Amino acid sequence: SYSMIVNVTDETNTDSQTLTINITNVNEFSPVISSSATFSAAENQTAVGTVTATDGDTSETLSYSLTGTDALALSINSSSGVITFNFAPDYETKSSYSITVNVSDGTNTTTQAMTISINNLNDNPPIISDSWPSNFTVNENTTSSFINLADYVSDADGTLNVLTYTVFGSDASYFSIDSSGNITLTCQDYETCKSTYALGVTVSDGTYTDTKTGGNNVALVNVPEPPTFTNNFYEWDAGHSSYQGYTFQENILANSEAPVPLYPGNSNF
């Protein structure tokens, strides 16, 4: 307001009056939104954040509302600007929401497009598929892996967690498993190793685990192997007439039915 004295004179007489001028406030400013256009919220809970705004017309009361693509999934307190989800979001179902925030002073309205990103949490266990084989056969002397556990594992949390693969059980020491899930039978000779092994497997994401077990479900298969000599030199008695016509190579390597005695240690023929 303004105060003044107004004087009126006719050159002889003067009259004075105190005058007060009151300024009427006019809504000339629009609200200004000062909060971010992006929010993030953890899945499985409803809190999001608070929209903040100011108005040059300080006497105006601001009100908040939501519109836009995903407005029905959220609510905003019309007085405080606090945004919440109506139902706890699930990252695996929907990872981002788009809304428009509206702030009004009763005359002027300001809008802001807002994106709410959902943070992925470790809320799902890794699962070993039921298609995991119940039995395996491994040929002896096979040095490569016979199965990859990772091929049978799924995790709804995607790549959020690093999965760890292990083997367990009474025969766990006979297996090796690498960080990629490749499983190898380490005892490879059928003649000296066991013929069957029990294999149990586990996958973990650091919080949750899943396992598969079986009985003696890994069978080591005997593979025919070529004969080998146990000595460097042999003596062959070729003096009997019935053995004439045989060669040294044929008698030892090819004619296995000829009853020719072999004596180790002598190379004189």
Side-chain angles (χ1 to χ4, degrees), residues 1 4 42 76 93 108 110 123 126 142 145-146 152 167 187 229-230:
S1 64
M4 66 187 73
I76 189 169
T93 303
N108 304 302
T110 299
D123 59 343
T142 302
S145 65
F146 63 88
Y152 296 84
V167 295
C187 195
F229 292 110
T230 58

Side-chain angles (χ1 to χ4, degrees), residues 13 25 43 48 100 113 122 130 153 157 159 172 182 192 213 218 237:
N13 302 299
N25 191 17
E43 63 174 332
V48 176
T100 299
N122 185 10
D130 289 338
V153 173
D157 292 321
T159 59
N182 295 300
T192 59
T213 59
V218 179
D237 183 0

Side-chain angles (χ1 to χ4, degrees), residues 40-48 85 88-91 116-121:
S40 62
E43 63 174 332
N44 305 325
Q45 57 85 53
T46 58
V48 176
F85 278 99
D90 177 38
Y91 177 89
I116 302 171
S117 299
I118 306 304
N119 296 331
N120 192 12
L121 301 179

Side-chain angles (χ1 to χ4, degrees), residues 152-176:
Y152 296 84
V153 173
S154 60
D155 191 333
D157 292 321
T159 59
L160 176 66
N161 306 292
V162 176
L163 300 181
T164 302
Y165 307 98
T166 55
V167 295
F168 70 93
S170 58
D171 293 328
S173 61
Y174 293 101
F175 297 95
S176 67

Side-chain angles (χ1 to χ4, degrees), residues 167-226:
V167 295
F168 70 93
S170 58
D171 293 328
S173 61
Y174 293 101
F175 297 95
S176 67
I177 186 168
D178 63 21
S179 60
S180 298
N182 295 300
I183 303 175
T184 303
L185 181 63
T186 57
C187 195
Q188 288 285 333
D189 183 27
Y190 182 86
E191 286 69 32
T192 59
C193 298
K194 295 171 56 174
S195 59
T196 58
Y197 299 86
L199 174 64
V201 293
T202 298
V203 59
S204 173
D205 63 8
T207 301
Y208 303 101
T209 61
D210 192 23
T211 62
K212 289 289 184 184
T213 59
N216 293 325
N217 56 343
V218 179
L220 183 61
V221 178
N222 190 16
V223 176
E225 299 170 283

